Amino acid sequence: MSHPDTGLGIDIGGSGIKGAPVDLETGEFTADRLRLPTPEHSGPAEVAFVIGEIVAHFPEALEGGLGITFPGVVQQGVVRTAANVDKAWIGTDAQALFSEAAGRPVRILNDADAAAVAEARFGAAKGVSGVVLLTTLGTGIGTALVVDGRLVPNTEFGHLQIDGHDAESQASSAARQRDDLSYEEWARSRLNRYYQVVEELLWPDLIVVGGGVSRKSERFLPHLDLRTPIVPAALLNTAGIVGAALSAAELKH
Ligand code: BGC
């Protein structure tokens, strides 16, 4: 059997759908990432079309499998929630849809879960025992729980009800921009409250902060007052793609 050392990862986001071939041993991209805009009407059929285009662009990268992230709960390949995307996704068998578009089996998983798989293998959660909580701060708040290196899929702690609000509506990066808060204001009010509730409920050993804003972590992490160590993600914007490819490869074995 040939060694399946390269897989293809695709990350479905609100503004772009990004794919790259991933060296499964190192987590590095083996070719430049392809980013296509998310269609304006981003229902299942439109997104499946874009997936087909990305797969066709990297025909050589599929030996290790094809993994795709989705920004909602995905149970047994079926999308269950769509907080920040077209509601037509709810109930869609994305695994069947994307497999057909790609002409091969796919693994589909939540975007934060994919990022956590990558961080646990190559990044900020590598070798960490106990409970690691990864949170992605973007349009929404994605969360992923990794226990002794093993993912507990589909946690949705971004939707905890805190002080009468859906947590992500107050503490996400989009909420910071919407409410015109500085990074420090956001950290001291919204983020600190969010993470304090989360640490009371989960008692993680480590919190990893991902999402685009983790690139600016020095602007907000120092203003948090938590008992749990909290660190920025190491893979930044590649984590979703890398984690998707790793997850697909795992499924094949
Ligand atoms: C969704 C999560 C997703 C997160 C980040 C939330 O609104 O419910 O499933 O991981 O946004 O995209």
Side-chain angles (χ1 to χ4, degrees):
M1 200 186 94
S2 60
H3 188 58
D5 57 0
T6 308
L8 184 60
I10 299 180
D11 193 25
I12 300 176
S15 59
I17 302 179
K18 295 143 277 182
V22 177
D23 180 323
L24 300 170
E25 299 294 322
T26 64
E28 305 285 331
F29 289 177
T30 61
D32 284 347
R33 184 186 85 147
L34 175 66
R35 179 189 191 279
L36 297 177
T38 305
E40 197 162 328
H41 176 244
S42 54
E46 293 84 357
V47 172
F49 181 79
V50 177
I51 297 289
E53 289 191 305
I54 294 179
V55 170
H57 187 78
F58 296 111
E60 74 293 350
L62 294 160
E63 205 183 343
L66 168 60
I68 302 178
T69 75
F70 185 82
V73 170
V74 183
Q75 234 180 0
Q76 314 291 339
V78 178
V79 172
R80 297 296 185 193
T81 70
N84 297 303
V85 285
D86 191 330
K87 302 291 178 245
W89 280 100
I90 297 172
T92 297
D93 186 339
Q95 190 168 313
L97 179 74
F98 293 157
S99 296
E100 204 188 318
R104 58 181 53 250
V106 308
R107 169 86 191 265
I108 165 147
L109 74 167
N110 172 265
D111 54 1
D113 284 350
V117 167
E119 291 293 333
R121 177 78 72 86
F122 299 115
K126 184 178 171 184
V128 179
S129 63
V131 176
V132 178
L133 177 74
L134 176 125
T135 58
T136 63
L137 306 173
T139 308
I141 295 182
T143 64
L145 203 60
V146 176
V147 184
D148 290 329
R150 221 181 135 81
L151 175 72
V152 181
N154 288 317
T155 57
E156 286 285 330
F157 299 118
H159 297 294
L160 285 171
Q161 294 298 308
I162 300 179
D163 304 328
H165 299 280
D166 188 35
E168 72 173 22
S169 75
Q170 302 301 302
S172 67
S173 180
R176 184 192 76 78
Q177 288 167 299
R178 180 197 64 211
D179 296 341
D180 204 15
L181 301 173
S182 70
Y183 281 95
E184 182 173 345
E185 287 167 335
W186 176 54
R188 288 189 191 281
S189 54
R190 313 291 180 85
L191 274 187
N192 210 59
R193 175 79 184 129
Y194 175 67
Y195 283 123
Q196 273 176 349
V197 171
V198 165
E199 66 179 3
E200 289 297 328
L201 293 175
L202 293 173
W203 287 84
D205 295 292
L206 176 70
I207 299 174
V208 178
V209 181
V213 79
S214 59
R215 238 174 275 128
K216 299 186 177 142
S217 64
E218 74 290 346
R219 297 177 72 174
F220 57 92
L221 290 188
H223 303 298
L224 297 177
D225 180 21
L226 303 169
R227 72 160 73 85
T228 314
I230 183 163
V231 296
L235 279 85
L236 302 175
N237 60 352
T238 67
I241 291 174
V242 173
L246 286 175
S247 302
E250 268 166 27
L251 197 71
K252 289 185 79 178
H253 297 97

PDB file of all heavy atoms in Angstrom, residues 71-73 81 83-84 110-112 136 140-143 156 159 168, ligand 1:
ATOM      1  N   PRO A  71     -19.104  25.548   9.387  1.00  0.00           N
ATOM      2  CA  PRO A  71     -19.276  26.373  10.594  1.00  0.00           C
ATOM      3  C   PRO A  71     -20.583  26.090  11.343  1.00  0.00           C
ATOM      4  O   PRO A  71     -21.375  27.001  11.621  1.00  0.00           O
ATOM      5  CB  PRO A  71     -19.247  27.807  10.033  1.00  0.00           C
ATOM      6  CG  PRO A  71     -19.757  27.676   8.642  1.00  0.00           C
ATOM      7  CD  PRO A  71     -19.326  26.315   8.151  1.00  0.00           C
ATOM      8  N   GLY A  72     -20.819  24.840  11.680  1.00  0.00           N
ATOM      9  CA  GLY A  72     -22.007  24.450  12.436  1.00  0.00           C
ATOM     10  C   GLY A  72     -21.829  23.026  12.924  1.00  0.00           C
ATOM     11  O   GLY A  72     -20.811  22.383  12.641  1.00  0.00           O
ATOM     12  N   VAL A  73     -22.820  22.527  13.654  1.00  0.00           N
ATOM     13  CA  VAL A  73     -22.762  21.151  14.149  1.00  0.00           C
ATOM     14  C   VAL A  73     -22.919  20.186  12.973  1.00  0.00           C
ATOM     15  O   VAL A  73     -23.806  20.365  12.127  1.00  0.00           O
ATOM     16  CB  VAL A  73     -23.889  20.913  15.181  1.00  0.00           C
ATOM     17  CG1 VAL A  73     -24.004  19.436  15.536  1.00  0.00           C
ATOM     18  CG2 VAL A  73     -23.646  21.756  16.437  1.00  0.00           C
ATOM     19  N   THR A  81     -26.845  22.524  12.663  1.00  0.00           N
ATOM     20  CA  THR A  81     -27.073  23.932  13.002  1.00  0.00           C
ATOM     21  C   THR A  81     -26.388  24.822  11.961  1.00  0.00           C
ATOM     22  O   THR A  81     -25.444  24.390  11.283  1.00  0.00           O
ATOM     23  CB  THR A  81     -26.505  24.317  14.389  1.00  0.00           C
ATOM     24  OG1 THR A  81     -25.069  24.316  14.329  1.00  0.00           O
ATOM     25  CG2 THR A  81     -26.963  23.364  15.481  1.00  0.00           C
ATOM     26  N   ALA A  83     -25.738  28.701  12.558  1.00  0.00           N
ATOM     27  CA  ALA A  83     -25.956  29.980  13.251  1.00  0.00           C
ATOM     28  C   ALA A  83     -25.641  31.176  12.362  1.00  0.00           C
ATOM     29  O   ALA A  83     -26.373  32.158  12.355  1.00  0.00           O
ATOM     30  CB  ALA A  83     -25.124  30.028  14.530  1.00  0.00           C
ATOM     31  N   ASN A  84     -24.548  31.091  11.612  1.00  0.00           N
ATOM     32  CA  ASN A  84     -24.116  32.261  10.820  1.00  0.00           C
ATOM     33  C   ASN A  84     -24.086  31.993   9.324  1.00  0.00           C
ATOM     34  O   ASN A  84     -23.432  32.715   8.578  1.00  0.00           O
ATOM     35  CB  ASN A  84     -22.737  32.723  11.301  1.00  0.00           C
ATOM     36  CG  ASN A  84     -22.770  33.186  12.743  1.00  0.00           C
ATOM     37  OD1 ASN A  84     -23.529  34.089  13.087  1.00  0.00           O
ATOM     38  ND2 ASN A  84     -22.004  32.542  13.607  1.00  0.00           N
ATOM     39  N   ASN A 110     -17.028  20.007  12.062  1.00  0.00           N
ATOM     40  CA  ASN A 110     -17.161  21.398  12.518  1.00  0.00           C
ATOM     41  C   ASN A 110     -15.821  22.146  12.391  1.00  0.00           C
ATOM     42  O   ASN A 110     -14.761  21.566  12.633  1.00  0.00           O
ATOM     43  CB  ASN A 110     -17.634  21.363  13.977  1.00  0.00           C
ATOM     44  CG  ASN A 110     -17.633  22.721  14.630  1.00  0.00           C
ATOM     45  OD1 ASN A 110     -16.673  23.097  15.298  1.00  0.00           O
ATOM     46  ND2 ASN A 110     -18.682  23.482  14.402  1.00  0.00           N
ATOM     47  N   ASP A 111     -15.891  23.440  12.066  1.00  0.00           N
ATOM     48  CA  ASP A 111     -14.660  24.212  11.818  1.00  0.00           C
ATOM     49  C   ASP A 111     -13.758  24.326  13.048  1.00  0.00           C
ATOM     50  O   ASP A 111     -12.536  24.173  12.950  1.00  0.00           O
ATOM     51  CB  ASP A 111     -14.988  25.598  11.224  1.00  0.00           C
ATOM     52  CG  ASP A 111     -15.984  26.413  12.037  1.00  0.00           C
ATOM     53  OD1 ASP A 111     -16.438  25.947  13.102  1.00  0.00           O
ATOM     54  OD2 ASP A 111     -16.319  27.532  11.602  1.00  0.00           O
ATOM     55  N   ALA A 112     -14.357  24.579  14.211  1.00  0.00           N
ATOM     56  CA  ALA A 112     -13.532  24.687  15.427  1.00  0.00           C
ATOM     57  C   ALA A 112     -12.945  23.323  15.788  1.00  0.00           C
ATOM     58  O   ALA A 112     -11.794  23.227  16.248  1.00  0.00           O
ATOM     59  CB  ALA A 112     -14.366  25.232  16.587  1.00  0.00           C
ATOM     60  N   THR A 136     -12.597  29.649  18.853  1.00  0.00           N
ATOM     61  CA  THR A 136     -12.276  30.505  17.716  1.00  0.00           C
ATOM     62  C   THR A 136     -13.160  31.740  17.815  1.00  0.00           C
ATOM     63  O   THR A 136     -14.373  31.639  17.968  1.00  0.00           O
ATOM     64  CB  THR A 136     -12.517  29.795  16.371  1.00  0.00           C
ATOM     65  OG1 THR A 136     -13.909  29.480  16.231  1.00  0.00           O
ATOM     66  CG2 THR A 136     -11.707  28.520  16.260  1.00  0.00           C
ATOM     67  N   GLY A 140     -18.692  34.252  14.780  1.00  0.00           N
ATOM     68  CA  GLY A 140     -19.299  33.631  15.957  1.00  0.00           C
ATOM     69  C   GLY A 140     -18.198  33.217  16.914  1.00  0.00           C
ATOM     70  O   GLY A 140     -17.057  33.676  16.806  1.00  0.00           O
ATOM     71  N   ILE A 141     -18.543  32.364  17.867  1.00  0.00           N
ATOM     72  CA  ILE A 141     -17.521  31.724  18.699  1.00  0.00           C
ATOM     73  C   ILE A 141     -17.656  30.223  18.496  1.00  0.00           C
ATOM     74  O   ILE A 141     -18.711  29.643  18.762  1.00  0.00           O
ATOM     75  CB  ILE A 141     -17.685  32.064  20.194  1.00  0.00           C
ATOM     76  CG1 ILE A 141     -17.458  33.558  20.439  1.00  0.00           C
ATOM     77  CG2 ILE A 141     -16.706  31.237  21.032  1.00  0.00           C
ATOM     78  CD1 ILE A 141     -17.549  33.976  21.905  1.00  0.00           C
ATOM     79  N   GLY A 142     -16.590  29.631  17.972  1.00  0.00           N
ATOM     80  CA  GLY A 142     -16.560  28.181  17.837  1.00  0.00           C
ATOM     81  C   GLY A 142     -15.789  27.603  19.007  1.00  0.00           C
ATOM     82  O   GLY A 142     -14.848  28.232  19.505  1.00  0.00           O
ATOM     83  N   THR A 143     -16.188  26.424  19.450  1.00  0.00           N
ATOM     84  CA  THR A 143     -15.435  25.793  20.538  1.00  0.00           C
ATOM     85  C   THR A 143     -15.153  24.333  20.202  1.00  0.00           C
ATOM     86  O   THR A 143     -15.898  23.694  19.456  1.00  0.00           O
ATOM     87  CB  THR A 143     -16.200  25.834  21.887  1.00  0.00           C
ATOM     88  OG1 THR A 143     -17.402  25.065  21.806  1.00  0.00           O
ATOM     89  CG2 THR A 143     -16.516  27.257  22.290  1.00  0.00           C
ATOM     90  N   GLU A 156     -20.706  23.285  21.643  1.00  0.00           N
ATOM     91  CA  GLU A 156     -21.205  24.580  21.138  1.00  0.00           C
ATOM     92  C   GLU A 156     -21.242  25.587  22.283  1.00  0.00           C
ATOM     93  O   GLU A 156     -22.272  26.225  22.534  1.00  0.00           O
ATOM     94  CB  GLU A 156     -22.597  24.382  20.512  1.00  0.00           C
ATOM     95  CG  GLU A 156     -22.566  23.680  19.159  1.00  0.00           C
ATOM     96  CD  GLU A 156     -22.087  24.612  18.030  1.00  0.00           C
ATOM     97  OE1 GLU A 156     -22.299  25.827  18.108  1.00  0.00           O
ATOM     98  OE2 GLU A 156     -21.470  24.095  17.064  1.00  0.00           O
ATOM     99  N   HIS A 159     -22.546  29.246  22.303  1.00  0.00           N
ATOM    100  CA  HIS A 159     -23.965  29.599  22.444  1.00  0.00           C
ATOM    101  C   HIS A 159     -24.454  29.461  23.883  1.00  0.00           C
ATOM    102  O   HIS A 159     -25.655  29.360  24.121  1.00  0.00           O
ATOM    103  CB  HIS A 159     -24.808  28.740  21.501  1.00  0.00           C
ATOM    104  CG  HIS A 159     -24.497  28.977  20.054  1.00  0.00           C
ATOM    105  ND1 HIS A 159     -24.763  30.175  19.432  1.00  0.00           N
ATOM    106  CD2 HIS A 159     -23.899  28.209  19.126  1.00  0.00           C
ATOM    107  CE1 HIS A 159     -24.353  30.112  18.163  1.00  0.00           C
ATOM    108  NE2 HIS A 159     -23.818  28.934  17.958  1.00  0.00           N
ATOM    109  N   GLU A 168     -21.914  34.315  21.916  1.00  0.00           N
ATOM    110  CA  GLU A 168     -21.164  34.825  20.758  1.00  0.00           C
ATOM    111  C   GLU A 168     -21.660  36.194  20.299  1.00  0.00           C
ATOM    112  O   GLU A 168     -20.913  36.949  19.694  1.00  0.00           O
ATOM    113  CB  GLU A 168     -21.147  33.822  19.593  1.00  0.00           C
ATOM    114  CG  GLU A 168     -22.432  33.645  18.857  1.00  0.00           C
ATOM    115  CD  GLU A 168     -22.278  32.758  17.609  1.00  0.00           C
ATOM    116  OE1 GLU A 168     -21.329  31.959  17.512  1.00  0.00           O
ATOM    117  OE2 GLU A 168     -23.153  32.886  16.724  1.00  0.00           O
TER     118      GLU A 168
HETATM  119  C1  BGC B   1     -21.416  27.822  15.297  1.00  0.00           C
HETATM  120  C2  BGC B   1     -20.300  26.839  15.513  1.00  0.00           C
HETATM  121  C3  BGC B   1     -19.067  27.299  14.748  1.00  0.00           C
HETATM  122  C4  BGC B   1     -18.724  28.727  15.112  1.00  0.00           C
HETATM  123  C5  BGC B   1     -17.539  29.262  14.327  1.00  0.00           C
HETATM  124  C6  BGC B   1     -20.951  29.203  15.705  1.00  0.00           C
HETATM  125  O1  BGC B   1     -21.972  30.129  15.523  1.00  0.00           O
HETATM  126  O2  BGC B   1     -22.559  27.467  16.058  1.00  0.00           O
HETATM  127  O3  BGC B   1     -20.684  25.543  15.108  1.00  0.00           O
HETATM  128  O4  BGC B   1     -17.996  26.440  15.056  1.00  0.00           O
HETATM  129  O5  BGC B   1     -19.828  29.584  14.913  1.00  0.00           O
HETATM  130  O6  BGC B   1     -17.764  29.238  12.966  1.00  0.00           O
END
